[in-house]
Amino acid sequence: MRKLALVVDDDKLSRDLIRRVLEKSEFQVLDAENGKQALEVFQRETNIPLVITDLSMPVMSGEELIDHLIGLAQPPIIIIHSSVTDIKEIIPILHKGVIDYIAKPLVPDELNLRINKSIETAKIKHIKDEMEREKNERNQAQLDWNRWKFETMRKDDEKSDDSMLEGLRHSFSQGTGFGSLIPTIQLIQRKAKPLEDGKTCSVPSALIDLLISNMESGKRMIDTLEIFDDIVKAKFIPSTISLMNIHKFIEDILKEYTPYSDSKFLSYDLFKTKPKYEDILFHGEINYLKMMIQELIINAIKFSEPKTKVYIICEMDGHKCKVSFLNEPLINSDYKFGIPKECSSMVFEPMVRLTKLVHEFLPTMDYGLGLTLVDKIIRRHNGSAEAYNIASHLDTSKILTNVSFTLPIAKH
C-alpha cells in the first residue's frame, strides 16, 4: 500500500520544499492550498496517514482543518508549520492531538529530522493505543463463558504440569520424536562397509556429522525439558529487581544478538529509561527472567520480516508493569500474518508452532517450546503472558505481532 502524505499551504514554495523532503522518505505527496481543498482530497483518498499543514490560510485555516481531521475514525498524524511565533497560540492547537509544530522559515535538514521523529512518535503512540484497545477487548472476552472455562482449566492444569513434562522428557530421552535420528542410523547401517579386520566398519564422515548433529539437537531438547522441570518444581529464591535492571537485561541481550538481527537488517526501538525506574521493584529469579527476555527477543528476530523494526515498549498499569515486544511478522504456513485471534492462547502450549520454518541461524531449538518457557517462567512470578496482533499505523494492510509479559510490582 502507498504511503501518502498531504501538504497543506497557500505558499507554493513551502509546499514544494516539504514535498522534496517527504519524497526522500518514499512518501507519495498530495497537496492543497487551504483547508477546504484538503478536505476534498480526504474525500477522494480514504487513507492518508500524514498531514503537514500551515495555520494561516484563506478559505479555511489550518486550525479548522485540524478540528475536522481529529474527528475522523482514523485521524492522521498531524504536524503544523507556521510563521506564528506566540507559543500561547500554538499550545491549545497542540493539545488537540497535533504531534509537532515546526516554525517557519523551513530548513530542509531540520524539517526532515522533525518529520521522521514525529512519525516515530506517532507510531509508538498508535501502538500503545492499539494495545490498550486490544486489552479492553480481551478483558471483555473474559466475560464469555468459553473463555472463562478455558482459563479455569489452565489454572486447574497447573498441577498436571509435572506429569506432562515428565512424559515429554521420557519420550524424547527414549529416542522417539527425533524425526531424523532414526533414519540417520538406518542410513549408516546401509552405508557401513566392513573392513578387513572384521571388527570395524567404514562409514562416510558426512553421516557421522549428521548423527552427531542430531544427537546434540536431542541433548539440547532434553536439557530444555530439565529447565522446564526446574521452573515447575524448584523453590524460587527471589531477588529484588528494578525496572532499570530489566531494561539493562534487554539492552545486553540485544547487543549479544546483534549478528542475528543484522543478518535480517532489523532495528530496535527500546523504551527510554527514566530516573523513577530504579524505584519500581519486582521480586523475581534473575536468571529465569533473563532467560524469558532472551526467548522473547529470539522470537521477535525469528518471525520478523527483514528490514523492519522491533518495538520494545514498557507500560505501567496500577500495580503491574507490562513489557511488550512488537514486530512486523513473516507470513506463516497458512498464509496468514502473525498470530490469529483463535491461536492467541494456544501459542503458549508445548509443541505448538504457527510456521513450518526452521531458523537454523538462531540459537534456538525451534521445537515450539520457546513461548511455553516464557509462560511457565512468568506464571511462576505471578505474572501473565499474552500474544496477539495489532494494526500497523502508516500502512493498514500490515499488522504487528505483540508478545508481552506482565509482572506485579513489589514496590513503587
Side-chain angles (χ1 to χ4, degrees):
M1 184 176 288
R2 297 171 298 170
K3 288 201 307 181
L4 289 178
L6 175 60
V7 179
V8 191
D9 198 315
D10 58 330
D11 177 24
K12 186 176 185 304
L13 291 176
S14 293
R15 292 201 308 271
D16 290 344
L17 173 59
I18 298 172
R19 175 189 292 276
R20 289 195 296 271
V21 171
L22 287 170
E23 285 178 345
K24 288 181 179 178
S25 295
E26 299 182 352
F27 275 92
Q28 178 182 340
V29 182
L30 307 174
D31 62 11
E33 295 182 5
N34 55 61
K36 185 174 182 296
Q37 285 188 9
L39 290 179
E40 291 171 355
V41 173
F42 261 88
Q43 289 177 350
R44 297 194 304 268
E45 296 284 350
T46 57
N47 180 36
I48 302 177
L50 174 64
V51 173
I52 302 177
T53 181
D54 191 11
L55 290 178
S56 302
M57 296 179 293
V59 185
M60 180 186 287
S61 70
E63 186 169 1
E64 291 176 283
L65 172 63
I66 291 166
D67 288 338
H68 282 87
L69 296 180
I70 61 177
L72 297 175
Q74 289 188 322
I77 300 168
I78 303 174
I79 301 172
I80 55 176
H81 65 100
S82 176
S83 301
V84 176
T85 56
D86 187 353
I87 194 65
K88 291 181 181 179
E89 294 183 36
I90 300 298
I91 288 176
I93 302 174
L94 291 173
H95 285 168
K96 291 182 178 184
V98 173
I99 292 294
D100 198 5
Y101 162 70
I102 304 172
K104 291 185 176 182
L106 301 172
V107 179
D109 288 344
E110 180 188 0
L111 181 63
N112 180 61
L113 182 66
R114 296 282 288 277
I115 289 174
N116 287 329
K117 184 176 179 181
S118 296
I119 290 171
E120 284 302 311
T121 300
K123 280 183 182 178
I124 298 296
K125 181 180 182 302
H126 171 79
I127 288 170
K128 289 184 176 180
D129 290 344
E130 284 295 307
M131 288 167 60
E132 182 66 23
R133 180 189 61 78
E134 179 70 25
K135 183 183 78 172
N136 291 335
E137 288 185 3
R138 291 166 71 83
N139 287 342
Q140 183 63 34
Q142 293 288 341
L143 300 176
D144 181 85
W145 186 85
N146 287 329
R147 180 79 178 181
W148 174 86
K149 178 183 176 182
F150 176 78
E151 292 295 336
T152 302
M153 288 175 64
R154 276 175 63 83
K155 291 176 182 177
D156 290 342
D157 284 346
E158 191 79 33
K159 296 177 182 178
S160 68
D161 280 344
D162 285 6
S163 58
M164 178 196 71
L165 294 172
E166 184 66 26
L168 281 172
R169 187 171 63 253
H170 176 77
S171 174
F172 285 111
S173 65
Q174 294 301 312
T176 59
F178 294 106
S180 57
L181 185 56
I182 293 176
T184 300
I185 295 173
Q186 291 173 336
L187 191 57
I188 289 174
Q189 286 179 319
R190 291 199 302 269
K191 295 292 184 180
K193 296 180 179 179
L195 297 180
E196 292 181 359
D197 61 9
K199 297 180 180 180
T200 57
C201 293
S202 171
V203 177
S205 61
L207 288 181
I208 299 300
D209 291 341
L210 184 59
L211 180 64
I212 292 172
S213 174
N214 284 316
M215 179 193 68
E216 291 174 346
S217 176
K219 184 178 183 303
R220 285 197 302 272
M221 185 162 212
I222 294 170
D223 290 344
T224 299
L225 291 171
E226 292 290 350
I227 293 171
F228 272 76
D229 197 46
D230 287 342
I231 292 169
V232 171
K233 294 180 179 178
K235 182 178 180 181
F236 271 25
I237 304 176
S239 304
T240 299
I241 304 167
S242 72
L243 183 52
M244 195 72 81
N245 292 142
I246 289 178
H247 187 278
K248 184 67 166 57
F249 297 162
I250 296 173
E251 274 190 325
D252 291 344
I253 295 168
L254 289 178
K255 289 178 183 176
E256 180 183 349
Y257 289 152
T258 296
Y260 306 112
S261 54
D262 283 353
S263 70
K264 297 184 72 171
F265 304 98
L266 300 177
S267 58
Y268 297 94
D269 192 315
L270 174 60
F271 65 90
K272 304 296 187 293
T273 57
K274 301 175 183 178
K276 68 176 183 179
Y277 284 179
E278 283 287 7
D279 299 325
I280 298 173
L281 304 178
F282 312 93
H283 290 150
E285 211 292 324
I286 293 177
N287 291 328
Y288 283 137
L289 287 177
K290 284 182 178 178
M291 190 184 301
M292 179 182 72
I293 291 169
Q294 177 177 299
E295 189 55 47
L296 288 170
I297 291 173
I298 288 175
N299 187 75
I301 295 173
K302 277 198 299 188
F303 299 113
S304 284
E305 184 73 27
K307 300 180 181 179
T308 57
K309 179 173 285 189
V310 175
Y311 296 90
I312 304 172
I313 295 174
C314 177
E315 296 179 286
M316 310 306 298
D317 184 8
H319 294 288
K320 296 180 180 180
C321 173
K322 182 176 183 178
V323 180
S324 300
F325 297 76
L326 300 110
N327 65 287
E328 189 174 312
L330 294 162
I331 192 167
N332 65 27
S333 56
D334 293 325
Y335 301 100
K336 297 179 181 178
F337 287 98
I339 302 172
K341 186 163 288 188
E342 64 272 18
C343 299
S344 60
S345 297
M346 193 189 308
V347 294
F348 292 104
E349 297 299 328
M351 309 302 174
V352 172
R353 295 172 59 199
L354 299 182
T355 176
K356 296 178 181 178
L357 295 175
V358 176
H359 308 273
E360 294 179 350
F361 71 100
L362 277 166
T364 176
M365 295 170 304
D366 212 11
Y367 292 139
L369 288 173
L371 292 184
T372 307
L373 184 71
V374 170
D375 184 54
K376 297 303 178 193
I377 291 174
I378 199 65
R379 285 165 68 185
R380 279 302 307 264
H381 287 79
N382 298 315
S384 61
E386 295 179 298
Y388 51 85
N389 293 337
I390 65 172
S392 185
H393 188 33
L394 289 180
D395 188 344
T396 53
S397 67
K398 295 182 179 179
I399 58 100
L400 294 173
T401 295
N402 175 26
V403 183
S404 62
F405 67 86
T406 301
L407 273 172
I409 297 171
K411 180 182 177 183
H412 187 180

